[in-house]
Each structure stands twice: as C-alpha cells, then as structure tokens.
Amino acid sequence: QVQLVESGGGLVQPGRSLRLSCTARGRFFSIDTMGWYRQVPGQQRELVARISATNVPNYLDSMKGRFTISRDNAKNTVHLQGDNLKPEDTAVYYCNAVVRRSDLFTARTEYWGQGTQVTVSS
C-alpha cells in the first residue's frame, strides 16, 4: 500500500560525493522515522542513518562524518548525502520508513525500498 521510491544511486569515483533520495508514495496518515541502510552480498544489512519526524538525525558511529541524512516532510522525502566516498562504501542502499496507517492511524507499519546500487570505484 505504501511504496518507497529510491533514486540517485550509481557509479562514483573515490573521494567524490553522491546524494540518494527516497520518496514515500501511497496511503498513509503520516511518516514517523525514515532512514537508510546498506547491505553487501553475504553480509548483514546495517544502518547508515535515520531521522525522526521532527528532523532529529541518528547515525551509526562508523557512518558519522561522511554521511548526512535529511528529510523534506512536505515532499515525504528523505535524503542521504555521502561525501568523500570510499570503495568500502559500495553496497545496495535501502530506504526505510515507519508510517502511521491511514486505515488505522494508531498503528504503525514499516516499509522498505527495493534498494539502489552504489558503486565506488575508479
């Protein structure tokens, strides 16, 4: 019922920057937390950053410094800015959102995007 549409992935050279975007589409009362996770094949999916409905960000310690998360509530969109990217940042990046349901607005449902590939290579 809710779709998370991701964009901005692709090939980037080491040391360069990249900006990912994710927009929530569909029926929902409101969006609570939005975030970005990443996963390398054969490894566990890990948190990069997440941000609350009131724009309070939270980063995994290992992600601090080079990644910045932000959101535009009017557009139901979350962004992830990656700077000084390294080859080890190569992964599939997944958008995540927790929404308040429109049919039962007191309940929350978690959704995932299909993932966007980020490859850092020269």
Side-chain angles (χ1 to χ4, degrees):
Q1 194 168 18
V2 177
Q3 184 180 16
L4 302 181
V5 182
E6 301 148 322
S7 63
L11 177 65
V12 60
Q13 293 182 328
R16 298 295 185 92
S17 298
L18 184 144
R19 185 172 184 256
L20 302 178
S21 298
C22 172
T23 299
R25 300 176 180 176
R27 292 185 176 183
F28 50 85
F29 181 76
S30 63
I31 305 176
D32 192 358
T33 302
M34 303 188 79
W36 285 95
Y37 295 71
R38 70 185 186 186
Q39 186 171 24
V40 177
Q43 299 184 16
Q44 185 177 2
R45 186 175 299 183
E46 64 180 354
L47 173 72
V48 179
R50 59 189 175 194
I51 187 168
S52 73
T54 55
N55 294 310
V56 179
N58 186 30
Y59 301 91
L60 194 67
D61 287 341
S62 61
M63 306 297 177
K64 291 181 179 179
R66 296 187 297 111
F67 290 93
T68 303
I69 192 168
S70 62
R71 66 187 289 170
D72 185 340
N73 290 331
K75 297 181 179 180
N76 299 318
T77 298
V78 63
H79 305 283
L80 181 69
Q81 176 75 31
D83 298 313
N84 191 25
L85 294 172
K86 303 176 180 180
E88 51 263 43
D89 294 320
T90 297
V92 177
Y93 285 71
Y94 294 90
C95 179
N96 173 269
V98 177
V99 308
R100 294 284 181 175
R101 295 167 54 178
S102 60
D103 58 344
L104 185 63
F105 61 85
T106 56
R108 294 188 296 173
T109 302
E110 185 177 38
Y111 291 93
W112 290 93
Q114 64 181 358
T116 182
Q117 177 71 46
V118 173
T119 302
V120 184
S121 177
S122 60

